[in-house]
Amino acid sequence: MLFAKSTYIQRRALLKQKVGSGLVLIFGNNEAPCNYPNNAYKFRQDSSFLYFFGQHREGLVGVIDIDNDKEYLVGNDIDIEDIIWTGFVPSVHDLAEEAGIANSLPMSALQQMVNTANAKGQQIHYLPPYRHDIMIQIGDLLGIHPLTTRANASVTLIKAVVDMRAVKSDEEIAEIERAMAIGYEMHTTAMKACRPGVTEKYIAGLLEGIACGHGCKVSFNTILSMHGEIFHGDPSLRPLEAGRLMLCDAGAETVDNYCSDNTRVTPISGKFTSRQRDIYSIVEACHDLVISKAKPGVKWLDMHLDVCRLMTDMLKDLGLMKGNTEDAVQAGAHAMFLQHGLGHMMGMDVHDMEGLGQVYVGFDDEVRPSTQFGTDCLRCGRRIQPGWVLTDEPGIYFIPALIDKWKAERMHTEFINYDLLETYRDFGGIRLEDDLLITADGCRVLGEKVIPYHIDEVEAFIAQ
Ligand code: GLY
Ligand code: MN
Ligand code: MN
């Protein structure tokens, strides 16, 4: 386990207080077969299970019976066959004891526990499952269709877990810092390897190798492409071309599952062209604006809109946008250039807790999700709090299909200069991303060393 037993005991005690009553079931993950049962994807434990129960083994369920003040770790012990193939594994009883849980039971006991709770009218709380095997498991236990299990998850439990996981403790921040250090190594390696003729896949492979070499993995599939305008662009086997930009969005996830998430853009020829400098400078200014203004109490939606205003002002200076800035942003015209949100929470999941439902993670009664194109992709809008970790990731993208669509529909012609925009259709895209810890009176960019991103620093770094 990553932290001391007392950390997990305290977390479960606080969860009990927040949920109040009922039977809480937190499902760990099972092995996920890739192409046949014995060839599985690398095992990844569920983050909420890890947060409250700390154990990495597959096939476990954590149970908290709040009304009877009892905790259980449920799972089957391995047998001699397993020991022959995979070596010794501690018993469920030992795993429970390590996590400060008094009771352990085999999986066959879970149905009885649920039946008893149902008979007594106890409320059963579980989190929304995102894997189909867990949906089937919950469906079986509760006698409901597996595909209805997400919708029937406990909102009380979701809100309690979000409240707790959103605020990172010092020991969690220390683990995120370890992920940042690996992320630094990954990104600076990519920047140094970036030159004409090297394939996108090759560089992405180097990054994956660095993460694996530290015993961990990438925190999400690396996005590395000359087509930075494709948000989740897979690295291709195409060699990098002189004159273009390489966008790299990548992060590490430590052995104990805390993440980093950074994006950098490197000129493949070693120097930015003047047009690339113009666009990069806008993204850089937006990125720095957030670092200077993020502090407790600020609505992340307002931070996003401040970025949209600055971006619009600076795009007007270049002649790509025109008209009144406030009106343009209100109308959503800036979304020709920035089609995603400013950032998301980050922690054990790179999009932290996204599986619990974005509306509970990023929004509340005061700030509801927007339905306007672009801003509807903002994953967090509510007032930010000390201890939260959020990504700051503005970008500018030239998406040919979107240019064609909006131009044909005469969308926002009072704010967008389509004639000039046409000359940018092969530009690609630029995003800069760092991870911010919200402090008592501002924010701190995580990572002991910041991956170079100011234009002159980038050119000097890759020239070394
Ligand atoms: N890695 C995807 C993102 O930055 O949100
Ligand atoms: Mn990213
Ligand atoms: Mn991100």
Side-chain angles (χ1 to χ4, degrees):
M1 293 195 313
L2 174 59
F3 303 126
K5 185 190 282 196
S6 55
T7 295
Y8 301 96
I9 294 174
Q10 282 161 17
R11 286 174 178 174
R12 293 193 300 270
L14 185 55
L15 184 68
K16 273 190 262 190
Q17 261 181 33
K18 284 183 180 282
V19 176
S21 65
L23 186 75
V24 174
L25 308 179
I26 301 205
F27 290 79
N29 278 334
N30 301 310
E31 291 283 8
C34 173
N35 49 340
Y36 55 92
N38 277 332
N39 197 11
Y41 292 105
K42 182 173 164 55
F43 178 71
R44 170 58 154 86
Q45 185 58 287
D46 174 75
S47 299
S48 292
F49 182 87
L50 275 176
Y51 187 83
F52 292 104
F53 297 92
Q55 296 293 4
H56 285 273
R57 221 199 81 176
E58 52 101 28
L60 297 172
V61 183
V63 179
I64 307 174
D65 183 344
I66 303 177
D67 306 319
N68 296 298
D69 197 19
K70 282 196 150 185
E71 296 178 339
Y72 305 83
L73 188 64
V74 181
N76 294 332
D77 282 328
I78 61 165
D79 57 19
I80 186 67
E81 290 257 329
D82 297 314
I83 292 172
I84 290 167
W85 287 97
T86 59
F88 181 75
V89 176
S91 68
V92 176
H93 175 271
D94 290 348
L95 295 176
E97 165 139 338
E98 197 185 16
I101 303 159
N103 310 287
S104 60
L105 288 169
M107 199 52 89
S108 58
L110 193 57
Q111 184 71 63
Q112 187 55 49
M113 223 189 298
V114 167
N115 293 349
T116 306
N118 271 330
K120 286 198 269 181
Q122 249 188 314
Q123 191 182 349
I124 297 177
H125 302 275
Y126 65 89
L127 296 172
Y130 50 90
R131 290 193 180 185
H132 292 98
D133 55 336
I134 303 290
M135 291 180 196
I136 293 170
Q137 192 178 0
I138 297 174
D140 268 355
L141 283 168
L142 301 182
I144 58 176
H145 193 283
L147 293 180
T148 65
T149 52
R150 263 191 85 79
N152 281 305
S154 161
V155 173
T156 307
L157 180 62
I158 293 171
K159 287 184 171 171
V161 171
V162 168
D163 257 13
M164 292 181 64
R165 283 183 52 193
V167 180
K168 272 65 180 178
S169 66
D170 290 348
E171 57 186 3
E172 289 183 285
I173 295 299
E175 188 64 18
I176 294 176
E177 290 283 13
R178 283 189 268 280
M180 302 303 312
I182 301 166
Y184 179 90
E185 193 181 330
M186 288 162 63
H187 275 278
T188 50
T189 299
M191 290 168 78
K192 288 179 201 156
C194 174
R195 63 178 66 95
V198 182
T199 68
E200 294 172 355
K201 271 251 188 278
Y202 183 82
I203 300 181
L206 293 179
L207 304 195
E208 189 138 359
I210 291 170
C212 293
H214 284 280
C216 52
K217 66 184 194 70
V218 289
S219 50
F220 55 94
N221 290 336
T222 297
I223 298 161
L224 191 144
S225 178
M226 289 181 282
H227 284 281
E229 80 281 9
I230 302 173
F231 289 170
H232 285 175
D234 258 347
S236 77
L237 283 167
R238 263 176 76 189
L240 297 177
E241 293 162 22
R244 291 190 65 90
L245 298 170
M246 177 188 83
L247 182 146
C248 175
D249 181 351
E253 180 178 310
T254 64
V255 182
D256 284 297
N257 308 104
Y258 281 82
C259 300
S260 74
D261 184 10
N262 294 98
T263 307
R264 290 294 185 265
V265 170
T266 309
I268 296 166
S269 303
K271 293 250 182 235
F272 292 96
T273 65
S274 80
R275 185 169 263 204
Q276 288 167 349
R277 269 179 176 258
D278 287 343
I279 300 297
Y280 191 105
S281 304
I282 300 176
V283 180
E284 187 183 350
C286 292
H287 185 65
D288 289 342
L289 175 79
V290 177
I291 296 170
S292 71
K293 290 187 75 170
K295 64 174 185 195
V298 169
K299 283 186 210 155
W300 202 241
L301 171 64
D302 289 342
M303 203 71 261
H304 172 85
L305 294 172
D306 280 352
V307 159
C308 298
R309 286 184 199 102
L310 176 61
M311 188 175 283
T312 300
D313 277 339
M314 293 181 80
L315 286 166
K316 276 162 58 181
D317 293 342
L318 289 184
L320 280 162
M321 289 190 76
K322 55 189 177 176
N324 177 276
T325 298
E326 199 55 48
D327 294 347
V329 171
Q330 270 215 1
H334 61 279
M336 167 55 79
F337 303 94
L338 172 61
Q339 304 84 7
H340 64 65
L342 174 61
H344 50 86
M345 286 200 203
M346 193 196 72
M348 301 178 90
D349 306 308
V350 71
H351 289 180
D352 210 22
M353 303 178 278
E354 192 164 288
L356 300 184
Q358 204 60 63
V359 73
Y360 301 115
V361 177
F363 298 90
D364 56 14
D365 291 341
E366 185 189 17
V367 187
R368 303 305 297 164
S370 165
T371 52
Q372 188 182 65
F373 175 73
T375 311
D376 58 355
C377 288
L378 184 63
R379 296 180 201 274
C380 178
R382 61 189 173 120
R383 292 183 194 276
I384 59 177
Q385 297 173 22
W388 284 18
V389 173
L390 288 155
T391 65
D392 164 18
E393 49 179 310
I396 292 181
Y397 311 92
F398 296 90
I399 304 173
L402 184 64
I403 298 172
D404 292 343
K405 182 169 190 296
W406 278 26
K407 192 174 165 187
E409 292 167 358
R410 302 195 51 72
M411 279 282 279
H412 301 307
T413 45
E414 65 275 44
F415 301 120
I416 297 171
N417 180 350
Y418 282 100
D419 288 342
L420 184 58
L421 182 56
E422 277 297 340
T423 68
Y424 281 78
R425 59 188 294 130
D426 295 326
F427 183 97
I430 291 179
R431 171 167 66 257
L432 291 172
E433 177 175 23
D434 281 297
D435 308 323
L436 310 182
L437 169 66
I438 309 306
T439 58
D441 55 0
C443 73
R444 174 166 81 76
V445 179
L446 289 169
E448 195 189 333
K449 291 188 279 188
V450 175
I451 307 158
Y453 72 93
H454 291 295
I455 290 184
D456 297 337
E457 281 169 11
V458 171
E459 290 184 349
F461 183 81
I462 54 184
Q464 277 171 20

